[in-house]
Structure formats: C-alpha cells, structure tokens
Amino acid sequence: MALKFDYLAKDPHSEARRGRIHTAHGIIETPVFMPVGTFGSVRTLDHTELEDIGVQIILGNTYHLYLRPGPEILKDLGGYHKLISWNKPILTDSGGFQIFSLPHQRVISEKGVTFKSYIDQSYKRLTPESDIAFQEVIGSDIMMVLDVCVPSTSSYDVCVEAMNRTHRWAKRCKQAKTREENSLFGIVQGAIFENLRTESAEALTSLNFDGYAIGGLAVGESDEERDHFTRFSAKLLPENKPRYLMGVGTPHDLVRSVLAGVDMFDCIIPTNHARQGVAYTFAGKVKLRRVFHAREDKPIDESCACYVCKRFSRAYLHQLTKCEEPTGWKLISYHNTWFYERLMEKVRETIVDGTFSTFAKNFLENAEE
Ligand SMILES: [Zn+2]
C-alpha cells in the first residue's frame, strides 16, 4: 500500500498538528520521534526493548548499509526488516548527508556521487537512480531523495547551485521509484535564504511527493535561524502531507519545532548523550557524571515508569558512567528513549485537548536545556 496521512487535529494556539501515517508496516502516530539505528541497531538497545518502550518507527542510514552488508546480501536475505527482525516501519535517509560530509573523499557530478568506502577503500558510486533502487532493496517504508547538502553558512551562489541540482535529482528519484509500498519524501533545501526556501518548496511540491523533509538545517546556523527557517519552511508545505525535520534534536528542539508545524524527527541524542551520562526528564537534563550524584539514592526521575527508574539509583548510574561500563550507557539509553517516547505522547495528547501551547511554554521555560 502507498503511504497515507490523516491530518487529525490542529492546536488552536500554534501550528502544531496531530496526525497518523499509514505505511505497509503499520501506523505511525504523529508528531513522532524516530530513534536512529545506523548499522541495524539503535545503539545499546535491542528490538524487544524498542517494542517495550513503544518506538513506532526507526531510521536506517543508506550510506552505511550500502557499504555493509551491501545490496547483494540484503537482497538475498529478503530486505532490511527481515535481517534485523523489526516488523514496524523503517525510514531511510539517502546517504547524501554522510557522503557530503566526506569533503576529500568524494567527487560530485550531475550524474551522481563517487566516494571512497571506509571499509575497503574501494570507490563506490551512487546516482539518484541507484540510490532509490538500493532503498527499495532495503524495503524502506519511507525513502528519502538523494539531495545535495551544503553547510547552511555557504554563499548564496553555492546554495542556489546545490538547490537546483537537488531539484533535478528529486525528479530523477521520483522517476526511478518502482514500488508503491516504498514511499518517497522530497527534501526542501535553500539554506538560510527565504526566497530559495520558497523556490525549493514550490519545485518539490509540484512533483507531489508522499511527504516533505526540511533539510539543510542544524548544519552551522544559529538556533534562532534554525527556528525561523523551520517555521518558514513548514508553512510552505502542503497541510495534507507529513513534514519531517531531519537530524533534530534535543527535547527543547522537538517541542519548539512541533509548535512550528513539524510532524517527524530523528536524532542520535537519546543514546549518544547516554554514553556521556546525560539523562533527559520532563524537568530537564540530569548530568549523571557530576560528583554529587555519587551519593544520590534516588532514580533519574521518580515519576518515570521505565524499568531503569524503578530499579536503579542515580548513584549506581554515576558509578557505571564514571567507570565507562557499557551497562551504564545501555540503562541511560533505555531511559532516554523511553522519555522521548513519553514526551511525544504528551505532545500528541495535548495537541488534541488544546493545551499544547501551555505545556510547551511550561516545558521550554522550566526544563533545563
Ligand atoms: Zn526512566
């Protein structure tokens, strides 16, 4: 089946939306946070745990999966859902962001990108066509177009060139798509120029994608610029399609971007910051490496229902983190991913009952960022 988006409710005091995405692997309630499973696993957490937490969809990275296990093995094994034993929706990026982050190891032309594999140093090539073909082999429920990523602080001329090529590649990606159940999102570019954002949104919506991502943010601009361009870009997109802000962010970023009308997010923060002993709660951040936690015989969050908070103290998590025990990383990752899910549940509930703006204001003012 093709992707379908139900627009269920709008917050009366902001642009926040409550929606539901139907995919071949099930339903996604939005706004949604998608944990990142770069190599086939959300770091330190297995899929049974993700199911217990209530994760609705995970993200896979095309660039890494292309290098290992690669198209042949994935095809032989029947796709990515089967390989990793995850029966819920999967979104894949196009790999563009990672490839463009390798400035000395890639060559870009109108046809596509050539880059050096970090595994065996061989040269690999991805074109808009082969990128989509590979995402179809992965079996991704939501595929992304291959786009040209430049830092948001690039000059106007560089941004125009990248944007125009992104549009030409988006069209080629759309033409290369062969399967209805693998839906495809376009990516709005245009850095921090309002006229380019407008032009990009118009060019992409005319191609009628299943949804739209806001790309080219969180790559060098200030927080104020990011907020402004998130809001500006979201308003340019059709109401009846999901909107995805790529690579964002902290709990504060999520709440601010929902206010701006964004439906989908992904980020490595919950598990990445867990490694440094940072836990998130509705009251803000808890930095478990701090010395005073060594004597604290209480959970990360007394009101949290996750098994980590029911059983383990901050003192124990402090001890594990200081000693760099993988178990500490894992326990905090579990709590953080649990918290992100409960945060998004609260966001969805309050949009429906009309209190989201009040909740967002309290959270943004009172929770330590
Ligand atoms: Zn917890």
Side-chain angles (χ1 to χ4, degrees):
M1 60 170 274
L3 179 142
K4 193 169 137 277
F5 179 65
D6 300 330
Y7 181 0
L8 302 176
K10 184 174 176 297
D11 175 55
H13 311 290
S14 74
E15 296 302 316
R17 300 133 50 89
R18 168 81 176 86
R20 184 172 291 145
I21 300 172
H22 301 258
T23 75
H25 285 90
I27 283 170
I28 305 159
E29 304 290 349
T30 66
V32 63
F33 177 77
M34 308 181 281
V36 180
T38 301
F39 300 106
S41 150
V42 174
R43 288 213 145 161
T44 73
L45 301 175
D46 72 48
H47 296 146
T48 316
E49 292 168 314
L50 296 183
E51 285 158 8
D52 289 346
I53 290 170
V55 169
Q56 305 185 71
I57 171 172
I58 57 173
L59 187 137
N61 289 116
T62 290
Y63 166 74
H64 294 291
L65 298 175
Y66 190 69
L67 296 179
R68 185 158 50 203
E72 289 78 20
I73 291 179
L74 266 177
K75 203 173 201 169
D76 288 351
L77 292 176
Y80 190 55
H81 284 90
K82 191 150 176 281
L83 170 67
I84 69 170
S85 184
W86 173 257
N87 212 19
K88 291 186 179 190
I90 289 171
L91 180 147
T92 43
D93 63 7
S94 66
F97 184 75
Q98 277 92 2
I99 294 166
F100 284 95
S101 309
L102 312 164
H104 305 298
Q105 292 170 314
R106 44 98 176 152
V107 179
I108 169 176
S109 70
E110 186 62 25
K111 195 154 192 311
V113 285
T114 305
F115 59 98
K116 209 173 186 179
S117 161
Y118 64 86
I119 293 171
D120 62 7
Q121 311 304 313
S122 65
Y123 283 94
K124 304 278 182 193
R125 186 167 182 74
L126 271 176
T127 62
E129 291 77 14
S130 67
D131 198 302
I132 294 301
F134 180 55
Q135 291 187 70
E136 288 188 348
V137 167
I138 291 174
S140 177
D141 297 281
I142 302 177
M143 312 187 289
M144 304 301 297
V145 296
L146 182 63
D147 60 336
V148 182
C149 309
V150 293
S152 53
T153 47
S154 303
S155 74
Y156 185 78
D157 290 351
V158 167
C159 293
V160 170
E161 204 186 313
M163 180 192 78
N164 285 330
R165 183 168 275 164
T166 292
H167 298 165
R168 292 192 295 273
W169 284 6
K171 198 171 180 183
R172 283 167 57 189
C173 285
K174 181 97 198 275
Q175 282 163 352
K177 180 178 172 318
T178 64
R179 296 167 54 154
E180 202 182 45
E181 65 268 33
N182 307 124
S183 61
L184 181 62
F185 280 23
I187 305 177
V188 176
Q189 290 288 352
I192 48 173
F193 300 103
E194 289 187 357
N195 62 322
L196 298 188
R197 287 273 163 192
T198 306
E199 198 182 324
S200 190
E202 279 169 9
L204 290 163
T205 49
S206 76
L207 293 172
N208 194 25
F209 285 100
D210 298 304
Y212 297 90
I214 300 169
L217 291 175
V219 283
E221 74 287 350
S222 69
D223 286 355
E224 291 71 30
E225 284 170 331
R226 188 205 304 175
D227 268 359
H228 172 74
F229 281 94
T230 300
R231 186 171 298 275
F232 185 85
S233 305
K235 273 193 180 158
L236 300 168
L237 295 171
E239 270 199 340
N240 62 348
K241 299 281 174 81
R243 304 165 181 168
Y244 165 29
L245 183 57
M246 302 176 81
V248 172
T250 65
H252 280 67
D253 291 333
L254 264 51
V255 170
R256 272 200 299 269
S257 306
V258 169
L259 282 169
V262 176
D263 309 307
M264 303 166 71
F265 303 92
D266 78 283
C267 197
I268 57 171
I269 280 180
T271 49
N272 218 37
H273 287 190
R275 191 177 198 171
Q276 291 135 34
V278 176
Y280 288 92
T281 74
F282 281 102
K285 225 188 232 183
V286 180
K287 293 177 184 159
L288 290 157
R289 293 183 80 97
R290 286 188 175 167
V291 67
F292 63 89
H293 292 305
R295 291 176 172 278
E296 268 190 322
D297 186 19
K298 64 175 191 181
I300 297 170
D301 178 358
E302 264 148 5
S303 65
C304 178
C306 90
Y307 86 90
V308 178
C309 290
K310 280 192 206 151
R311 180 157 188 181
F312 302 109
S313 67
R314 290 183 180 197
Y316 181 50
L317 297 170
H318 170 86
Q319 163 75 7
L320 293 177
T321 302
K322 290 297 267 188
C323 299
E324 296 188 359
E325 276 296 327
T327 302
W329 181 9
K330 182 206 171 68
L331 294 175
I332 302 167
S333 291
Y334 187 98
H335 164 83
N336 281 351
T337 307
W338 178 281
F339 167 71
Y340 266 65
E341 287 301 322
R342 303 295 83 79
L343 173 67
M344 298 318 276
E345 263 173 19
K346 183 85 184 163
V347 165
R348 294 192 293 267
E349 273 169 33
T350 54
I351 292 174
V352 171
D353 69 23
T355 59
F356 176 64
S357 300
T358 313
F359 165 74
K361 189 168 180 284
N362 283 338
F363 181 79
L364 295 173
E365 280 175 7
N366 299 323
E368 190 199 337
E369 190 165 10

